[in-house]
Amino acid sequence: RILMTQPSTPPRKLKFRSRTSKISPDHIFFGASGIGSLYKSVPEEQSHRTIRRVLERGITRLDTAPLYGLGQSELVLGHFLSDPSVSRDLQLYTKVGRLIRKKSELSARQLAEADHQSASSFDNNRVVTYVPIFDYSGPGIEQSYLESKERLGYPLAGLRIHDAETESRFAEAINSSLQEVLLRLRSTGAIKNISAGLNDASYLIRWAESTPPGFFDNFICAGSWNLLDWSGYDLFCLCEDKNIRITNAGIFASGILWGGSTYKYETASEEIVKKVEKWRDICKKHEVSLPAVALRFAMLPEIIDNVAIGFASPEEVDQNMDLLDSLSIPDSLWTNAKKEGLLPAWLVDL
């Protein structure tokens, strides 16, 4: 799937923060897919050390999902958070839209329709026994919430509708009693926020336009606002109008902006590799790191409250959090990036 990298033309002017505004641990969400053994196996002991370091570095916002490790991420978090010494003031989000089921308990049709592709991204023993199945029905959403609540054992700040970004999934979710269930959970205080977590900004626009005002409190938007992709711009303008706050995920573009080789979860194309090399050259010329520039850019729109970053080890926590001390980016870098065609001219505030 190819996503657009720029908004409609000419774009409405988006409100931007000062390029020197402080970014603190309060602006960081811990993305807990890594401790669900995303791409590589992560032992529970390492996960606990990672979570401990996350809290030591001042991060109080955590984001997980039943999908992550087919329940592993939630179970590991729940085990750690059950310690009475852990703060009760953390903001914990999980997601709905998939149920984790034993393969042996599914019919042949259910097994055929299960989300095997997403499950294959996780490297743990649970993928042998369990599989995620999509369910955006009202009862499915409520069941997903109850199962996550049991795995986590910690109060939830919010629920995010997860990956409803194909025509069939969107249609199922928008036409179900999903909204009624989520509104009831919020009104009774079971959760504080209703959210959606998607990769495709165009579907978040459809969600915002298809639901009543005030239904969504925030969105988590992955891979749609970073140094290589600005497709979230139109969404952010709409969210300014509708007062839907944004958590920006995928700020390092699947890792290629921090030494990796993948982009949008696939091997990066030659065109993307060349763009990243140009970004590295500009950063070297201005004596700043590419990850620091990526983090600064990720937080520029005022509508973005925070960024979600995945950690799978204490060392990764420190590497990312140390960026907060190196975010002084010369204005000339942004000017040069536009001259080189790495950023669009319509970003007039850069």
Side-chain angles (χ1 to χ4, degrees):
R1 182 184 60 188
I2 303 297
L3 300 182
M4 62 179 181
T5 57
Q6 63 181 29
S8 58
T9 303
R12 193 188 93 177
K13 188 173 180 180
L14 189 65
K15 296 177 183 176
F16 280 76
R17 288 184 174 86
S18 164
R19 294 187 296 274
T20 60
S21 61
K22 181 176 176 58
I23 300 177
S24 72
D26 199 45
H27 293 107
I28 309 297
F29 249 102
F30 167 41
S33 58
I35 63 171
S37 294
L38 179 65
Y39 304 134
K40 60 182 179 181
S41 179
V42 178
E44 183 164 351
E45 183 273 336
Q46 178 179 322
S47 295
H48 284 187
R49 288 191 292 111
T50 302
I51 302 166
R52 185 174 296 109
R53 193 62 180 143
V54 163
L55 302 184
E56 289 172 349
R57 294 299 300 253
I59 298 172
T60 59
R61 292 176 167 82
L62 318 175
D63 181 84
T64 185
L67 174 64
Y68 299 163
L70 309 192
Q72 176 185 337
S73 176
E74 290 187 331
L75 287 167
V76 169
L77 274 168
H79 187 190
F80 184 91
L81 297 175
S82 67
D83 186 331
S85 68
V86 174
S87 170
R88 298 291 98 183
D89 296 325
L90 304 177
Q91 294 189 37
L92 177 61
Y93 281 72
T94 192
K95 303 182 180 74
V96 292
R98 289 181 180 90
L99 296 170
I100 308 304
R101 292 292 178 262
K102 285 186 175 181
K103 296 177 183 179
S104 60
E105 297 177 353
L106 297 179
S107 67
R109 178 178 178 180
Q110 288 174 315
L111 194 57
E113 295 175 349
D115 188 11
H116 297 283
Q117 181 177 358
S118 296
S120 68
S121 297
F122 298 93
D123 181 14
N124 65 9
N125 291 331
R126 293 181 66 84
V127 301
V128 176
T129 306
Y130 295 93
V131 69
I133 60 171
F134 290 109
D135 192 338
Y136 295 100
S137 68
I141 295 301
E142 181 134 29
Q143 187 62 32
S144 179
Y145 159 72
L146 291 173
E147 292 175 10
S148 289
K149 183 180 176 183
E150 182 176 355
R151 284 189 289 262
L152 290 162
Y154 192 94
L156 284 168
L159 290 174
R160 307 191 198 276
I161 303 165
H162 199 192
D163 290 347
E165 52 189 341
T166 66
E167 286 300 326
S168 60
R169 288 183 228 158
F170 179 80
E172 179 188 353
I174 205 69
N175 293 316
S176 74
S177 55
L178 170 153
Q179 294 180 50
E180 178 184 336
V181 171
L182 291 176
L183 285 170
R184 174 167 48 79
L185 289 172
R186 186 173 62 183
S187 67
T188 59
I191 60 173
K192 296 178 182 178
N193 295 282
I194 297 173
S195 180
L198 279 67
N199 296 285
D200 190 334
S202 68
Y203 272 95
L204 284 172
I205 289 175
R206 291 173 67 178
W207 272 107
E209 291 178 335
S210 303
T211 49
F215 176 74
F216 283 111
D217 299 286
N218 55 67
F219 288 148
I220 187 166
C221 185
S224 297
W225 184 260
N226 56 53
L227 295 177
L228 302 175
D229 189 320
W230 326 295
S231 59
Y233 193 99
D234 284 340
L235 168 68
F236 297 167
C237 291
L238 177 64
C239 288
E240 281 187 343
D241 293 339
K242 292 182 173 290
N243 194 29
I244 300 172
R245 307 302 298 176
I246 297 290
T247 293
N248 188 11
I251 67 170
F252 301 120
S254 301
I256 197 167
L257 295 176
W258 201 327
S261 59
T262 58
Y263 178 63
K264 295 190 183 296
Y265 312 108
E266 298 177 351
T267 301
S269 67
E270 184 177 351
E271 177 187 6
I272 291 297
V273 170
K274 287 181 178 179
K275 283 184 179 180
V276 174
E277 288 173 351
K278 284 186 176 182
W279 269 114
R280 286 200 188 99
D281 290 342
I282 287 179
C283 291
K284 184 177 181 180
K285 177 181 178 182
H286 291 85
E287 300 181 334
V288 294
S289 75
L290 179 53
V293 173
L295 176 55
R296 172 61 74 187
F297 184 82
M299 280 296 298
L300 282 175
E302 286 187 5
I303 195 66
I304 294 175
D305 281 340
N306 30 58
V307 295
I309 305 177
F311 314 122
S313 70
E315 293 75 20
E316 290 181 5
V317 176
D318 287 335
Q319 288 169 3
N320 281 271
M321 296 306 290
D322 287 348
L323 292 178
L324 301 186
D325 298 322
S326 58
L327 292 175
S328 180
I329 313 298
D331 289 346
S332 55
L333 179 143
W334 306 113
T335 302
N336 289 349
K338 287 202 284 188
K339 286 181 179 178
E340 292 285 336
L342 294 174
L343 290 175
W346 46 259
L347 280 178
V348 293
D349 289 330
L350 289 177

Coordinates of all heavy atoms in Angstrom, one line a residue, residues 27 29 219-226 229 236 245-252 294-295 297-301 303-309:
H27 N 5.9 14.2 27.1 CA 5.5 14.1 25.7 C 5.7 12.8 25.1 O 5.5 12.6 23.9 CB 6.3 15.2 24.9 CG 5.9 16.6 25.3 ND1 6.8 17.4 26.0 CD2 4.8 17.3 25.0 CE1 6.2 18.6 26.1 NE2 5.0 18.6 25.6
F29 N 5.1 8.6 24.9 CA 4.3 7.4 25.1 C 5.3 6.2 25.0 O 6.0 6.1 24.0 CB 3.2 7.2 24.1 CG 1.8 7.4 24.7 CD1 1.1 8.6 24.5 CD2 1.2 6.4 25.5 CE1 -0.2 8.8 25.0 CE2 -0.1 6.5 26.0 CZ -0.8 7.7 25.8
F219 N -6.5 10.6 18.7 CA -6.1 9.5 17.7 C -4.6 9.2 17.9 O -3.8 10.1 18.3 CB -6.2 10.0 16.3 CG -7.6 10.2 15.8 CD1 -8.0 11.1 14.8 CD2 -8.7 9.3 16.2 CE1 -9.3 11.3 14.3 CE2 -10.0 9.4 15.7 CZ -10.2 10.4 14.8
I220 N -4.2 8.0 17.6 CA -2.8 7.7 17.5 C -2.6 7.4 16.0 O -3.3 6.5 15.4 CB -2.3 6.6 18.4 CG1 -0.8 6.4 18.3 CG2 -3.0 5.2 18.1 CD1 -0.2 5.5 19.4
C221 N -1.7 8.2 15.4 CA -1.5 8.1 13.9 C -0.1 7.7 13.7 O 0.8 8.3 14.1 CB -1.8 9.5 13.3 SG -1.7 9.6 11.6
A222 N 0.1 6.5 13.0 CA 1.4 5.9 12.8 C 1.9 6.1 11.4 O 1.2 5.8 10.4 CB 1.3 4.4 13.2
G223 N 3.1 6.6 11.3 CA 3.8 6.7 10.1 C 3.3 7.8 9.1 O 3.7 7.8 7.9
S224 N 2.5 8.7 9.6 CA 1.9 9.7 8.7 C 2.4 11.2 9.0 O 1.9 12.1 8.4 CB 0.4 9.7 8.8 OG -0.1 8.5 8.4
W225 N 3.4 11.3 9.9 CA 4.0 12.6 10.1 C 5.5 12.4 10.6 O 5.7 12.2 11.8 CB 3.2 13.5 11.1 CG 3.8 14.9 11.2 CD1 4.7 15.3 12.2 CD2 3.7 15.9 10.3 NE1 5.0 16.6 11.9 CE2 4.5 17.0 10.7 CE3 3.0 16.1 9.1 CZ2 4.6 18.2 10.1 CZ3 3.1 17.3 8.4 CH2 3.9 18.3 8.9
N226 N 6.4 12.3 9.7 CA 7.8 12.2 10.0 C 8.6 12.8 8.8 O 8.0 13.4 7.9 CB 8.2 10.7 10.2 CG 7.8 9.8 9.0 OD1 8.2 10.1 7.9 ND2 7.1 8.8 9.3
D229 N 7.3 11.4 5.4 CA 5.9 11.3 5.1 C 5.1 12.4 5.9 O 5.2 12.4 7.1 CB 5.4 9.9 5.5 CG 3.9 9.6 5.0 OD1 3.1 10.5 5.0 OD2 3.7 8.5 4.6
F236 N -4.5 16.5 10.6 CA -4.2 17.4 11.8 C -5.1 18.7 11.7 O -5.6 19.2 12.7 CB -2.8 17.7 11.8 CG -1.9 16.6 12.0 CD1 -0.5 16.7 11.8 CD2 -2.3 15.3 12.4 CE1 0.4 15.6 12.0 CE2 -1.5 14.2 12.6 CZ -0.2 14.4 12.4
R245 N -7.2 15.4 19.8 CA -5.7 15.5 20.0 C -5.0 14.3 19.3 O -5.6 13.3 19.1 CB -5.4 15.5 21.5 CG -6.1 16.6 22.3 CD -5.9 18.0 21.7 NE -4.4 18.4 21.8 CZ -3.9 19.5 21.3 NH1 -4.7 20.4 20.7 NH2 -2.6 19.8 21.4
I246 N -3.7 14.5 19.1 CA -3.0 13.4 18.3 C -1.8 12.9 19.1 O -1.1 13.7 19.7 CB -2.4 14.0 17.0 CG1 -3.6 14.5 16.1 CG2 -1.5 13.1 16.3 CD1 -4.4 13.3 15.5
T247 N -1.6 11.6 19.1 CA -0.3 11.0 19.5 C 0.3 10.5 18.2 O -0.3 9.8 17.4 CB -0.6 9.8 20.4 OG1 -1.1 10.3 21.7 CG2 0.7 9.1 20.7
N248 N 1.5 10.9 18.0 CA 2.2 10.7 16.7 C 3.1 9.4 16.9 O 4.1 9.5 17.7 CB 3.1 11.9 16.3 CG 3.7 11.7 14.9 OD1 3.3 10.8 14.2 ND2 4.6 12.7 14.6
A249 N 2.9 8.4 16.1 CA 3.7 7.2 16.2 C 4.5 7.0 14.9 O 4.1 7.6 13.9 CB 2.9 6.0 16.5
G250 N 5.5 6.1 14.9 CA 6.2 5.9 13.6 C 7.1 7.1 13.3 O 7.4 7.4 12.1
I251 N 7.6 7.8 14.3 CA 8.3 9.1 14.0 C 9.7 8.8 13.4 O 10.3 9.7 12.8 CB 8.4 9.9 15.3 CG1 9.3 9.3 16.3 CG2 7.0 10.2 15.9 CD1 9.7 10.2 17.5
F252 N 10.2 7.6 13.6 CA 11.5 7.2 12.9 C 11.3 6.4 11.7 O 12.2 5.7 11.2 CB 12.4 6.5 13.9 CG 12.7 7.3 15.2 CD1 12.3 6.8 16.4 CD2 13.3 8.5 15.1 CE1 12.6 7.6 17.6 CE2 13.6 9.3 16.2 CZ 13.2 8.8 17.5
A294 N 14.4 14.1 13.7 CA 13.2 13.4 13.5 C 12.2 13.7 14.7 O 11.0 13.9 14.5 CB 13.4 11.9 13.4
L295 N 12.7 13.6 15.9 CA 11.9 13.9 17.1 C 11.4 15.3 17.1 O 10.2 15.5 17.4 CB 12.7 13.5 18.4 CG 12.0 13.8 19.7 CD1 10.6 13.1 19.8 CD2 12.9 13.4 20.9
F297 N 10.9 17.3 14.6 CA 9.9 17.5 13.6 C 8.6 16.8 14.0 O 7.5 17.4 13.7 CB 10.4 16.8 12.3 CG 9.4 17.0 11.1 CD1 9.4 18.2 10.4 CD2 8.6 16.0 10.7 CE1 8.5 18.4 9.3 CE2 7.7 16.2 9.7 CZ 7.7 17.3 8.9
A298 N 8.7 15.7 14.6 CA 7.5 14.9 15.0 C 6.6 15.7 15.9 O 5.3 15.4 16.0 CB 7.9 13.6 15.6
M299 N 7.1 16.6 16.7 CA 6.4 17.3 17.7 C 6.0 18.7 17.3 O 5.4 19.5 18.1 CB 7.1 17.4 19.1 CG 7.1 16.1 19.9 SD 5.4 15.7 20.5 CE 5.1 17.2 21.5
L300 N 6.3 19.1 16.1 CA 6.1 20.5 15.7 C 4.6 20.9 15.7 O 4.3 22.0 16.2 CB 6.8 20.8 14.4 CG 8.3 21.0 14.4 CD1 8.8 21.2 13.0 CD2 8.6 22.2 15.2
P301 N 3.7 20.2 15.1 CA 2.3 20.6 15.1 C 1.7 20.7 16.5 O 1.9 19.8 17.3 CB 1.6 19.5 14.3 CG 2.7 18.9 13.4 CD 3.9 18.9 14.3
I303 N -1.2 20.4 17.5 CA -2.3 19.4 17.7 C -1.7 18.1 18.3 O -2.5 17.3 18.9 CB -3.1 19.1 16.4 CG1 -4.4 18.4 16.7 CG2 -2.3 18.4 15.4 CD1 -5.4 19.2 17.5
I304 N -0.4 17.9 18.1 CA 0.2 16.7 18.6 C 0.6 16.8 20.1 O 1.4 17.7 20.4 CB 1.5 16.3 17.8 CG1 1.1 15.9 16.4 CG2 2.3 15.2 18.4 CD1 2.2 15.7 15.4
D305 N 0.0 16.0 21.0 CA 0.3 16.1 22.4 C 1.5 15.3 22.8 O 2.3 15.7 23.7 CB -0.9 15.5 23.2 CG -2.0 16.5 23.4 OD1 -1.8 17.7 23.2 OD2 -3.1 16.0 23.7
N306 N 1.8 14.2 22.1 CA 2.9 13.4 22.4 C 3.3 12.5 21.3 O 2.5 12.4 20.3 CB 2.7 12.6 23.7 CG 1.2 12.2 23.9 OD1 0.6 11.6 23.0 ND2 0.6 12.7 25.0
V307 N 4.4 11.8 21.4 CA 4.9 10.8 20.4 C 5.0 9.5 21.1 O 5.3 9.4 22.3 CB 6.2 11.2 19.8 CG1 6.1 12.5 19.0 CG2 7.3 11.3 20.8
A308 N 4.7 8.4 20.3 CA 4.8 7.0 20.8 C 6.1 6.4 20.3 O 6.3 6.4 19.1 CB 3.6 6.2 20.5
I309 N 6.9 5.9 21.2 CA 8.2 5.3 20.8 C 8.3 3.9 21.4 O 8.0 3.8 22.6 CB 9.4 6.1 21.2 CG1 9.3 7.6 20.7 CG2 10.7 5.5 20.7 CD1 10.4 8.5 21.1

